[in-house]
Amino acid sequence: MPEELKFSAAEVDVVLHATEDREKVLAALEKALAVPAASFSGEPAEGHFGNNIVLLKATVPSRDAGALAAKIMSSLNSADRQELADHIEGYSDEKGNLYLRLDKQRICQGRVSLAEADTVRVKFRPVRRYRPSGNIQAYRGLLSLG
């Protein structure tokens, strides 16, 4: 990970549908992303069509957030890394946060890839926010790890 890029934390959010096995999904997340299953808390909710869902959330502390970012970037294939490099501004906000949406089904198969639907959402909060535009270059440097 580039030395100038440090994260204050990362948040991992997953929507678990009633048809999905919570333990299998958590085990796959732990294996693919090294986020311990025990760090996830769940909150029951109702889906758009009245179906039962569980909102799972884990907060990854600063000391582990950089390793999570490096693990994700090194696990992405070259097409996904190129997508991020080409459109990194679309994956970050005005505060410099980096948002990644990873394919939950592929994670359950032991692979990590970007996706738009049925995702594991990961938000990285950088330590420095006073110059968010500088984070874009740092994120590009992070992509070179793969």
Side-chain angles (χ1 to χ4, degrees), residues 10-28:
E11 297 169 7
V12 181
D13 297 301
V14 184
V15 174
L16 192 67
H17 299 277
T19 56
E20 296 175 310
D21 183 321
R22 180 182 181 142
E23 300 310 314
K24 283 184 181 178
V25 171
L26 288 175

Side-chain angles (χ1 to χ4, degrees), residues 7 73 88 91-92 96-100 122-124 126 139 142:
F7 298 105
M73 295 305 173
I88 195 70
Y91 290 90
S92 59
N97 296 312
L98 176 65
Y99 297 88
L100 299 177
V122 185
K123 174 185 176 182
F124 292 98
Y139 294 151
L142 186 60

Side-chain angles (χ1 to χ4, degrees), residues 43-130:
E43 182 178 316
E46 187 174 297
H48 184 68
F49 298 106
N51 52 321
N52 292 327
I53 61 173
V54 176
L55 304 174
L56 297 174
K57 181 176 190 142
T59 300
V60 178
S62 176
R63 68 180 181 275
D64 300 326
L68 174 60
K71 183 159 185 65
I72 290 171
M73 295 305 173
S74 66
S75 298
L76 291 174
N77 65 31
S78 59
D80 281 342
R81 282 196 307 275
Q82 189 63 51
E83 162 65 21
L84 280 173
D86 291 347
H87 304 285
I88 195 70
E89 293 84 358
Y91 290 90
S92 59
D93 64 14
E94 67 282 350
K95 294 180 180 177
N97 296 312
L98 176 65
Y99 297 88
L100 299 177
R101 292 179 181 270
L102 307 174
D103 189 313
K104 181 172 53 172
Q105 298 308 316
R106 288 201 178 218
I107 285 176
C108 288
Q109 298 167 354
R111 297 185 311 242
V112 177
S113 65
L114 298 178
E116 291 296 321
D118 198 19
T119 63
V120 174
R121 291 175 296 280
V122 185
K123 174 185 176 182
F124 292 98
R125 291 182 296 190
V127 170
R128 293 183 178 169
R129 290 193 173 182
Y130 59 86

